[in-house]
Amino acid sequence: MKAVRCPSCGAAMKRNGRTGAGSQRWRCRACGASTTVSYDDTAARLEEFLAWLMSKDTQLSMPGQGRTFRRRTAEFWRVWPMPEPTGEAHRVLFVDGIWLSRDLVVLIAHDGEHVVSWYMAQAETSRAWEALMAPIPAPDVVVCDG
């Protein structure tokens, strides 16, 4: 374990009991400041999630039948990948919104063969459509249904 340093003066800290919630409390030997230390393990949990995602393993085969894994990696399931703009100009773009639920619509731009871009929004507003179209070079024609 790395030595805990004081956020105020940078000196070494020593253990000084526990908080009411049970966390380790630390006190600075030089200035007397008291603090608790929390460790950010987000990178390690993301690495665990990506390793599972790229493997052929099932969650059922994991310890605890995957319940612990799902709890530890729950925040990464909510990540929605956004398309990278290629900068390619299109003559015609077809745009439409697909409602997934009452407050969730996916706005899609399609060139007739491939999906060029998409954007998730709460409603089909001008701001949402602008966010969809901003990274795409201006097409000659846009086809829509409204």
Side-chain angles (χ1 to χ4, degrees):
M1 183 173 162
K2 293 172 65 175
V4 177
R5 297 282 178 187
C6 177
S8 299
C9 68
M13 298 183 84
K14 66 175 185 170
R15 293 176 195 247
N16 190 36
R18 297 210 172 257
T19 65
S23 299
Q24 180 67 56
R25 183 180 287 131
W26 297 84
R27 179 162 302 281
C28 178
R29 293 178 179 173
C31 68
S34 178
T35 187
T36 58
V37 178
S38 61
Y39 297 98
D40 184 14
D41 66 340
T42 306
R45 289 184 292 114
L46 176 61
E47 190 173 315
E48 177 185 6
F49 176 73
L50 292 175
W52 170 81
L53 190 63
M54 301 302 172
S55 74
K56 294 181 179 179
D57 296 338
T58 64
Q59 291 181 10
L60 190 61
S61 67
M62 300 180 95
Q65 297 179 336
R67 289 187 299 271
T68 302
F69 172 77
R70 285 191 295 276
R71 179 182 45 80
R72 288 179 45 82
T73 61
E75 66 185 289
F76 305 120
W77 287 102
R78 293 188 296 267
V79 174
W80 184 268
M82 295 307 292
E84 293 287 328
T86 61
E88 180 183 353
H90 302 276
R91 283 195 46 117
V92 179
L93 277 183
F94 302 93
V95 295
D96 199 5
I98 299 173
W99 287 90
L100 300 179
S101 70
R102 184 171 159 260
D103 291 329
L104 180 63
V105 63
V106 179
L107 306 178
I108 300 173
H110 189 268
D111 69 357
E113 294 181 21
H114 302 95
V115 173
V116 176
S117 185
W118 65 84
Y119 185 77
M120 290 179 62
Q122 291 181 332
E124 289 189 60
T125 62
S126 59
R127 213 176 249 179
W129 284 110
E130 182 180 352
L132 170 71
M133 298 301 288
I136 304 170
D140 294 337
V141 178
V142 173
V143 179
C144 63
D145 64 347

